[in-house]
Short mmCIF file of all heavy atoms in Angstrom, two decimals:
data_model
loop_
_atom_site.label_atom_id
_atom_site.label_comp_id
_atom_site.label_asym_id
_atom_site.label_seq_id
_atom_site.Cartn_x
_atom_site.Cartn_y
_atom_site.Cartn_z
N ALA A 17 100.51 -26.87 149.02
CA ALA A 17 100.48 -27.98 149.88
C ALA A 17 99.17 -28.39 150.30
O ALA A 17 98.70 -29.55 150.40
CB ALA A 17 101.52 -27.73 151.07
N GLU A 18 98.27 -27.32 150.65
CA GLU A 18 97.00 -27.62 151.19
C GLU A 18 96.02 -28.21 150.13
O GLU A 18 95.24 -29.09 150.27
CB GLU A 18 96.36 -26.31 151.80
CG GLU A 18 94.93 -26.46 152.33
CD GLU A 18 94.44 -25.21 152.95
OE1 GLU A 18 95.16 -24.25 152.94
OE2 GLU A 18 93.15 -25.23 153.33
N ALA A 19 96.28 -27.61 148.92
CA ALA A 19 95.33 -28.06 147.78
C ALA A 19 95.75 -29.35 147.07
O ALA A 19 94.95 -30.06 146.47
CB ALA A 19 95.24 -26.95 146.74
N GLY A 20 97.03 -29.65 147.33
CA GLY A 20 97.52 -30.97 146.74
C GLY A 20 97.99 -30.94 145.33
O GLY A 20 98.06 -31.90 144.62
N VAL A 21 98.50 -29.61 144.98
CA VAL A 21 98.93 -29.71 143.51
C VAL A 21 100.38 -30.19 143.58
O VAL A 21 101.06 -30.19 144.51
CB VAL A 21 98.96 -28.16 142.92
CG1 VAL A 21 97.46 -27.68 142.80
CG2 VAL A 21 99.70 -27.20 143.85
N ASP A 22 100.86 -30.50 142.33
CA ASP A 22 102.21 -31.14 142.22
C ASP A 22 103.20 -30.02 142.29
O ASP A 22 104.43 -30.38 142.76
CB ASP A 22 102.28 -31.97 141.00
CG ASP A 22 101.21 -33.16 140.95
OD1 ASP A 22 101.17 -33.79 141.86
OD2 ASP A 22 100.57 -33.29 139.91
N ASP A 23 103.02 -28.85 141.66
CA ASP A 23 104.04 -27.82 141.83
C ASP A 23 103.46 -26.47 141.76
O ASP A 23 102.23 -26.41 141.58
CB ASP A 23 105.02 -28.00 140.56
CG ASP A 23 106.29 -27.42 140.66
OD1 ASP A 23 106.56 -26.71 141.72
OD2 ASP A 23 107.18 -27.55 139.71
N PHE A 24 104.27 -25.42 141.88
CA PHE A 24 103.61 -24.06 141.82
C PHE A 24 104.66 -23.20 141.22
O PHE A 24 105.87 -23.32 141.21
CB PHE A 24 103.14 -23.62 143.12
CG PHE A 24 104.40 -23.44 144.15
CD1 PHE A 24 104.91 -22.27 144.32
CD2 PHE A 24 104.79 -24.61 145.00
CE1 PHE A 24 106.09 -22.10 145.12
CE2 PHE A 24 105.67 -24.42 145.85
CZ PHE A 24 106.38 -23.18 145.89
N LEU A 25 104.02 -22.01 140.63
CA LEU A 25 104.95 -21.02 140.17
C LEU A 25 104.49 -19.78 140.88
O LEU A 25 103.33 -19.29 140.61
CB LEU A 25 104.82 -20.79 138.72
CG LEU A 25 105.58 -19.70 138.02
CD1 LEU A 25 107.06 -19.85 138.23
CD2 LEU A 25 105.22 -19.46 136.54
N ALA A 26 105.37 -19.15 141.81
CA ALA A 26 104.91 -18.06 142.48
C ALA A 26 105.46 -16.73 141.89
O ALA A 26 106.44 -16.76 141.04
CB ALA A 26 105.61 -18.18 143.94
N GLU A 27 104.76 -15.56 142.23
CA GLU A 27 105.17 -14.26 141.75
C GLU A 27 105.27 -14.37 140.14
O GLU A 27 106.24 -13.80 139.57
CB GLU A 27 106.36 -13.75 142.34
CG GLU A 27 106.24 -13.53 143.88
CD GLU A 27 107.66 -13.09 144.53
OE1 GLU A 27 108.52 -12.97 143.77
OE2 GLU A 27 107.58 -12.87 145.76
N ALA A 28 104.28 -14.99 139.56
CA ALA A 28 104.39 -15.36 138.07
C ALA A 28 104.13 -14.04 137.25
O ALA A 28 103.22 -13.36 137.58
CB ALA A 28 103.39 -16.40 137.76
N THR A 29 104.92 -13.88 136.26
CA THR A 29 104.83 -12.71 135.31
C THR A 29 104.44 -13.53 133.96
O THR A 29 104.64 -14.66 133.75
CB THR A 29 106.19 -11.99 135.10
OG1 THR A 29 107.11 -12.90 134.54
CG2 THR A 29 106.59 -11.40 136.37
N PRO A 30 103.92 -12.79 133.00
CA PRO A 30 103.55 -13.31 131.70
C PRO A 30 104.75 -14.07 131.10
O PRO A 30 104.59 -15.12 130.46
CB PRO A 30 103.16 -12.12 130.84
CG PRO A 30 102.50 -11.19 131.90
CD PRO A 30 103.52 -11.34 133.05
N ASP A 31 105.97 -13.43 131.12
CA ASP A 31 107.11 -14.06 130.57
C ASP A 31 107.39 -15.53 131.19
O ASP A 31 107.83 -16.38 130.53
CB ASP A 31 108.28 -13.16 130.71
CG ASP A 31 108.20 -11.91 129.69
OD1 ASP A 31 107.29 -12.04 128.68
OD2 ASP A 31 108.90 -11.05 129.95
N GLU A 32 107.16 -15.52 132.57
CA GLU A 32 107.57 -16.71 133.31
C GLU A 32 106.43 -17.80 132.95
O GLU A 32 106.84 -18.92 132.97
CB GLU A 32 107.54 -16.47 134.78
CG GLU A 32 108.80 -15.57 135.11
CD GLU A 32 108.71 -15.16 136.71
OE1 GLU A 32 107.55 -15.08 137.18
OE2 GLU A 32 109.81 -14.87 137.30
N LYS A 33 105.18 -17.39 132.75
CA LYS A 33 104.24 -18.39 132.38
C LYS A 33 104.64 -18.95 131.05
O LYS A 33 104.46 -20.20 130.87
CB LYS A 33 102.82 -17.71 132.38
CG LYS A 33 102.24 -17.32 133.62
CD LYS A 33 100.84 -16.72 133.36
CE LYS A 33 100.21 -16.22 134.58
NZ LYS A 33 98.95 -15.56 134.34
N LEU A 34 104.91 -18.10 130.06
CA LEU A 34 105.35 -18.59 128.64
C LEU A 34 106.57 -19.55 128.75
O LEU A 34 106.55 -20.62 128.15
CB LEU A 34 105.64 -17.39 127.86
CG LEU A 34 105.89 -17.62 126.34
CD1 LEU A 34 104.56 -18.38 125.78
CD2 LEU A 34 106.16 -16.26 125.70
N ALA A 35 107.50 -19.12 129.61
CA ALA A 35 108.73 -20.00 129.67
C ALA A 35 108.37 -21.23 130.30
O ALA A 35 108.99 -22.25 129.98
CB ALA A 35 109.83 -19.16 130.51
N LEU A 36 107.46 -21.26 131.31
CA LEU A 36 107.11 -22.57 131.93
C LEU A 36 106.38 -23.47 130.91
O LEU A 36 106.70 -24.83 130.88
CB LEU A 36 106.27 -22.33 133.10
CG LEU A 36 105.65 -23.61 133.78
CD1 LEU A 36 106.74 -24.43 134.49
CD2 LEU A 36 104.72 -23.24 134.94
N ILE A 37 105.51 -23.10 130.15
CA ILE A 37 104.91 -23.78 129.13
C ILE A 37 105.83 -24.40 128.10
O ILE A 37 105.90 -25.62 127.77
CB ILE A 37 103.87 -22.93 128.27
CG1 ILE A 37 102.67 -22.65 129.37
CG2 ILE A 37 103.26 -23.74 127.13
CD1 ILE A 37 101.62 -21.57 128.75
N LYS A 38 106.74 -23.47 127.68
CA LYS A 38 107.77 -24.08 126.68
C LYS A 38 108.66 -25.12 127.25
O LYS A 38 109.06 -25.96 126.65
CB LYS A 38 108.70 -22.74 126.18
CG LYS A 38 107.92 -21.92 125.27
CD LYS A 38 108.86 -20.65 124.81
CE LYS A 38 108.06 -19.79 123.91
NZ LYS A 38 109.01 -18.65 123.40
N LYS A 39 109.07 -24.87 128.56
CA LYS A 39 109.75 -25.91 129.28
C LYS A 39 109.09 -27.32 129.29
O LYS A 39 109.77 -28.26 129.07
CB LYS A 39 110.16 -25.44 130.62
CG LYS A 39 111.05 -26.37 131.41
CD LYS A 39 111.29 -25.90 132.80
CE LYS A 39 112.10 -26.86 133.69
NZ LYS A 39 112.39 -26.37 134.99
N GLU A 40 107.81 -27.27 129.56
CA GLU A 40 107.09 -28.42 129.79
C GLU A 40 106.96 -29.09 128.29
O GLU A 40 107.08 -30.30 128.19
CB GLU A 40 105.75 -28.11 130.27
CG GLU A 40 105.58 -27.80 131.67
CD GLU A 40 106.01 -28.84 132.75
OE1 GLU A 40 105.59 -30.03 132.43
OE2 GLU A 40 106.68 -28.65 133.72
N GLN A 41 106.80 -28.31 127.40
CA GLN A 41 106.60 -28.79 126.01
C GLN A 41 107.86 -29.39 125.44
O GLN A 41 107.85 -30.39 124.81
CB GLN A 41 106.03 -27.79 125.00
CG GLN A 41 104.62 -27.37 125.32
CD GLN A 41 104.10 -26.17 124.46
OE1 GLN A 41 104.95 -25.28 124.10
NE2 GLN A 41 102.87 -26.09 124.24
N ASP A 42 108.98 -28.73 125.75
CA ASP A 42 110.32 -29.30 125.37
C ASP A 42 110.55 -30.63 126.01
O ASP A 42 111.38 -31.51 125.41
CB ASP A 42 111.35 -28.24 125.79
CG ASP A 42 111.42 -27.04 124.95
OD1 ASP A 42 110.76 -27.01 123.90
OD2 ASP A 42 111.95 -26.05 125.46
N GLY A 43 109.93 -30.93 127.11
CA GLY A 43 110.03 -32.26 127.80
C GLY A 43 109.09 -33.26 127.27
O GLY A 43 108.92 -34.34 127.82
N GLY A 44 108.43 -32.90 126.25
CA GLY A 44 107.43 -33.81 125.59
C GLY A 44 106.07 -33.79 126.08
O GLY A 44 105.32 -34.76 125.89
#
């Protein structure tokens, strides 16, 4: 909220990072 980013991923693990990227790419 302070930095002004649009979203965040907390307590991120390598698998969660990979899943987030794939989800974004699946959305075009």
Side-chain angles (χ1 to χ4, degrees):
E18 183 179 355
V21 296
D22 298 312
D23 202 355
F24 65 90
L25 177 65
E27 299 178 354
T29 64
D31 289 342
E32 289 173 335
K33 289 182 184 179
L34 186 60
L36 176 60
I37 292 173
K38 289 181 177 179
K39 179 182 177 182
E40 293 289 324
Q41 290 172 332
D42 290 342

